[in-house]
Amino acid sequence: MFTVYAIKSEFRNYIYVGFTSDIQVRIQAHNRGYNKTTKPYAPFVLIYSEKCQSRSQARLREKYLKSGSGKKFLKSLL
């Protein structure tokens, strides 16, 4: 089981989309600055998550959320 997620920086206009098998550990890693890409934007809050049955399904959903339509959807949640 995988989780596709979107997190938003609390202080900057930045949304990160990814997928993981352990969402709590992954968000803690983002907030502690362990991820090079998101380190400058920490701390984060979870704005969206969705369960997927397989890694390939999670990757497809992640790709959609990173597209123009997906970004529009995520921004509508704010």
Side-chain angles (χ1 to χ4, degrees):
M1 185 73 93
F2 289 88
T3 304
V4 179
Y5 66 94
I7 53 177
K8 183 189 180 312
S9 173
E10 288 189 31
F11 301 117
R12 298 176 75 183
N13 186 25
Y14 180 75
I15 295 174
Y16 178 84
V17 175
F19 70 93
T20 183
S21 57
D22 190 340
I23 188 135
Q24 297 303 326
V25 170
R26 187 72 172 127
I27 291 174
Q28 286 177 358
H30 284 297
N31 282 328
R32 291 180 179 156
Y34 296 157
N35 184 294
K36 182 180 171 185
T37 305
T38 59
K39 185 176 183 176
Y41 304 100
F44 291 93
V45 292
L46 181 67
I47 60 169
Y48 181 77
S49 67
E50 176 181 331
K51 299 276 186 196
C52 296
Q53 293 297 320
S54 67
R55 188 178 202 285
S56 59
Q57 183 185 11
R59 177 69 181 119
L60 287 173
R61 193 66 179 146
E62 176 195 34
K63 254 179 119 168
Y64 166 75
L65 291 173
K66 288 182 176 182
S67 73
S69 300
K71 287 179 185 177
K72 188 175 178 179
F73 165 72
L74 291 173
K75 288 179 183 178
S76 75
L77 299 175
L78 303 177

